[in-house]
Amino acid sequence: MVTQSRKVAALKSEENQQSRLEVYRQVIQTLLTDYAARSSTEAVQCIPLMDGQGDHYQVLDIGWDESGKRIFKPVLHIDIIDNKIWIQENITDLDLDTLLATAGIQPSEIVIGFHSPSLRKFGIYAIE
């Protein structure tokens, strides 16, 4: 009976984890899609790239600046690694960590990946 209870608890835990990952994916996709829609211009398109199977999410700026120079750069990059949201790059005006927390994601589930591990230990977010 104890073994069966452990199996049920493990399944529930696994279901909760999968459910949580789906919430993470939905929140990230919504944030990136909304940002891209607001930030695209005639000259520069913001394109959200979403790999839901690999859990890699990015917004890419593509276009031309005023001087005629080509723009092709990632401005946002988020991964889901080991059930945590890793903000790998953010050169936008979005305060992603705050937006994620507002969406109900705990700071302990968010890693500021573009900060070195030695700096992460001083913040309120996950170290890894």
Side-chain angles (χ1 to χ4, degrees), residues 40-89:
S40 287
T41 66
E42 260 185 59
V44 179
Q45 286 185 302
C46 293
I47 301 173
L49 305 171
M50 301 183 199
D51 170 17
Q53 278 190 314
D55 284 324
H56 306 289
Y57 306 89
Q58 200 172 71
V59 173
L60 188 66
D61 279 358
I62 300 175
W64 301 93
D65 70 11
E66 300 83 30
S67 68
K69 186 175 178 182
R70 177 82 169 140
I71 296 171
F72 185 89
K73 66 181 176 183
V75 295
L76 269 175
H77 184 109
I78 300 173
D79 292 321
I80 299 175
I81 304 170
D82 294 330
N83 302 312
K84 292 187 181 176
I85 296 175
W86 283 69
I87 302 172
Q88 304 286 21
E89 184 70 73

Side-chain angles (χ1 to χ4, degrees), residues 98-116:
T98 301
L99 291 171
L100 292 168
T102 300
I105 297 167
Q106 298 297 312
S108 62
E109 301 297 314
I110 302 168
V111 178
I112 311 299
F114 56 84
H115 286 169
S116 71

Side-chain angles (χ1 to χ4, degrees), residues 12-55:
K12 284 183 180 178
S13 176
E14 192 174 304
E15 289 172 6
N16 286 341
Q17 187 174 345
Q18 285 302 317
S19 176
R20 193 170 75 228
L21 287 175
E22 287 305 316
V23 169
Y24 290 177
R25 291 178 184 121
Q26 186 62 46
V27 168
I28 292 167
Q29 290 173 14
T30 299
L31 286 173
L32 271 55
T33 301
D34 290 350
Y35 173 80
R38 282 193 329 269
S39 300
S40 287
T41 66
E42 260 185 59
V44 179
Q45 286 185 302
C46 293
I47 301 173
L49 305 171
M50 301 183 199
D51 170 17
Q53 278 190 314
D55 284 324

